[in-house]
């Protein structure tokens, strides 16, 4: 059997769930700005933001 081809995942686990979002132009620009400043992908910038919000919620 042939070995699977494709780009390997960056993290330990692969991202196999998909989520579609509808954004305003300003929201999309904000995400792009954050990603560029942090030198990470837009997905990673969004995930970083989610982790920050979760940490704030866990403090309460």
């Amino acid at each position: 059997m042939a070995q699977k081809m494709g780009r390997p995942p960056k993290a330990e686990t692969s991202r196999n769930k998909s989520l579609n979002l509808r954004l305003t132009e300003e929201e999309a620009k904000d995400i792009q700005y954050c990603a560029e400043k942090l030198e990470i992908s837009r997905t990673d910038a969004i995930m970083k933001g989610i982790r920050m919000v979760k940490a704030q919620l866990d403090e309460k």
Side-chain angles (χ1 to χ4, degrees):
M1 224 183 234
Q3 207 172 19
K4 287 187 178 183
M5 299 296 288
R7 186 169 65 190
K10 290 181 181 179
E12 298 91 38
T13 59
S14 63
R15 290 182 171 144
N16 59 2
K17 300 293 180 188
S18 178
L19 176 66
N20 294 321
L21 300 172
R22 294 178 61 90
L23 304 170
T24 65
E25 186 68 31
E26 188 65 27
E27 292 166 337
K29 285 180 181 178
D30 288 345
I31 293 169
Q32 185 65 39
Y33 174 81
C34 293
E36 287 174 1
K37 287 291 185 178
L38 295 169
E39 297 180 348
I40 58 177
S41 70
R42 290 180 297 175
T43 299
D44 289 339
I46 292 167
M47 295 308 300
K48 187 175 188 78
I50 290 170
R51 285 190 296 273
M52 289 171 63
V53 170
K54 185 177 182 294
Q56 287 177 348
L57 292 172
D58 290 343
E59 288 175 0
K60 293 182 178 181

